């Protein structure tokens, strides 16, 4: 049975790659015509709308439909710092289109160098070279500009994928400092099942499964709130919700 599952996981991975490339090439046409040459925030807002259609087709095609809860918490005309847990490479392809309205995600600069896909990747991202202190500082300023444009800014406060057996890794300060500095509320997005779809301990393996992302009510920074206190508040909220749903 285990051998069958291993073989099936490789077959599903091949299918997922083929479908990703095929749907991306189709998606590139409206993206290049109507989004790529536009100026922000219109460029990113259009891209996000196209991405919802793209992932709405792609994810079911690979047997990984997405269920989204809590979009109602995004008030019209208000933008947010969105923080999500990070278990898998599948997290960004579901969190980005799940967030209503235009948004950008903090992302590693390396993927932006991929031919064709790099054009898409850069449009939806604030790029950062984690090895460069200058790049990290510049990315923070870019995120503040994203929020000033009226777009949402999505950050994975764990920094990298959670490869531990704990529900969440410890959080970095950036997202919470950004929320306080910009005076934008935080919305937590809790992602489920992506670790089961793309297990971190297996290469070239995908197991179809329904995925979910649940958005929780906004958390505004209170007067006098510190980065540390806001971080601890959001961490506990996300940890307790994740554990409660998984148990």
């Amino acid at each position: 049975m285990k051998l069958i599952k291993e073989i099936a996981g490789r077959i599903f991975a091949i299918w997922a790659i083929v479908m990703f490339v095929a749907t991306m090439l189709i998606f590139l046409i409206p993206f290049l015509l109507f989004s790529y040459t536009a100026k922000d925030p219109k460029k990113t807002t259009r891209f996000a709308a196209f991405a919802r259609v793209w992932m709405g087709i792609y994810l079911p095609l690979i047997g990984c439909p997405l269920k989204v809860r809590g979009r109602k918490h995004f008030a019209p005309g208000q933008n947010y710092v969105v923080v999500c847990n990070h278990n898998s490479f599948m997290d960004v392809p579901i969190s980005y289109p799940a967030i209503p309205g235009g948004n950008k995600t903090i992302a590693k600069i390396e993927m932006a160098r991929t031919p064709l896909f790099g054009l898409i990747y850069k449009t939806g991202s604030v790029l950062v070279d984690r090895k460069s202190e200058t790049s990290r500082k510049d990315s923070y300023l870019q995120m503040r500009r994203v929020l000033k444009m009226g777009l949402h800014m999505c950050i994975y406060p764990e920094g990298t994928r959670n490869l531990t057996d704990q529900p969440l890794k410890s959080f970095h300060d950036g997202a919470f400092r950004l929320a306080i500095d910009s005076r934008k509320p935080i919305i937590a997005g809790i992602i489920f099942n992506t670790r089961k779809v793309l297990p971190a301990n297996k290469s070239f393996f995908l197991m179809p499964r329904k995925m979910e992302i649940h958005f929780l009510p906004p958390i505004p920074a209170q007067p006098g709130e510190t980065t540390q206190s806001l971080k601890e508040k959001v961490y506990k909220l996300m940890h307790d919700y994740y554990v409660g749903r998984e148990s």
Side-chain angles (χ1 to χ4, degrees), residues 203-224:
S203 59
F204 203 73
F205 182 96
L206 182 144
M207 188 54 59
R209 190 182 182 98
K210 183 178 77 172
M211 300 179 295
E212 298 188 21
I213 180 168
H214 299 183
F215 295 113
L216 306 186
I219 307 165
Q222 299 300 320

Side-chain angles (χ1 to χ4, degrees), residues 13 35-36 42 58 67 90 130 145 172 184-185 191 196 211 238:
S35 175
Y36 187 66
K42 184 180 293 185
Y58 171 69
K67 182 176 183 179
M90 190 64 81
R130 299 180 191 275
R145 287 194 288 269
H172 295 286
K184 297 294 181 181
I191 297 171
K196 298 170 183 175
M211 300 179 295
M238 293 177 68

Side-chain angles (χ1 to χ4, degrees), residues 23 26 36 38 56 60-61 90 106 109 120 146 152 171 181 225 228 233-234 243:
T23 54
I26 295 171
Y36 187 66
L61 275 177
M90 190 64 81
I106 188 73
I109 197 169
I120 296 171
V146 166
H152 307 298
F171 285 176
D181 288 349
E225 184 115 57
Q228 185 65 25
K233 183 192 302 183
V234 176
V243 171

Side-chain angles (χ1 to χ4, degrees), residues 107-179:
K108 294 185 294 185
I109 197 169
E110 290 82 0
M111 291 292 290
R113 303 186 182 108
T114 307
L116 292 181
F117 176 70
L119 298 177
I120 296 171
Y121 187 83
K122 286 186 286 188
T123 300
S125 305
V126 169
L127 299 175
V128 59
D129 181 353
R130 299 180 191 275
K131 300 174 184 177
S132 168
E133 180 66 23
T134 301
S135 177
R136 290 199 297 270
K137 289 180 179 178
D138 183 60
S139 68
Y140 185 82
L141 297 176
Q142 288 185 58
M143 289 191 288
R144 293 198 63 170
R145 287 194 288 269
V146 166
L147 292 169
K148 285 182 179 179
M149 285 190 288
L151 301 170
H152 307 298
M153 188 65 228
C154 182
I155 301 172
Y156 294 87
E158 292 167 288
T160 57
R161 288 177 298 156
N162 180 8
L163 305 181
T164 74
D165 59 357
Q166 299 301 307
L168 296 175
K169 288 168 53 182
S170 60
F171 285 176
H172 295 286
D173 291 346
F176 311 99
R177 180 161 62 95
L178 180 67

Side-chain angles (χ1 to χ4, degrees), residues 85-105:
N85 57 315
H86 194 12
N87 290 325
S88 162
F89 289 127
M90 190 64 81
D91 295 330
V92 174
I94 71 169
S95 63
Y96 188 85
I99 296 170
N103 65 96
K104 287 186 183 288
T105 301

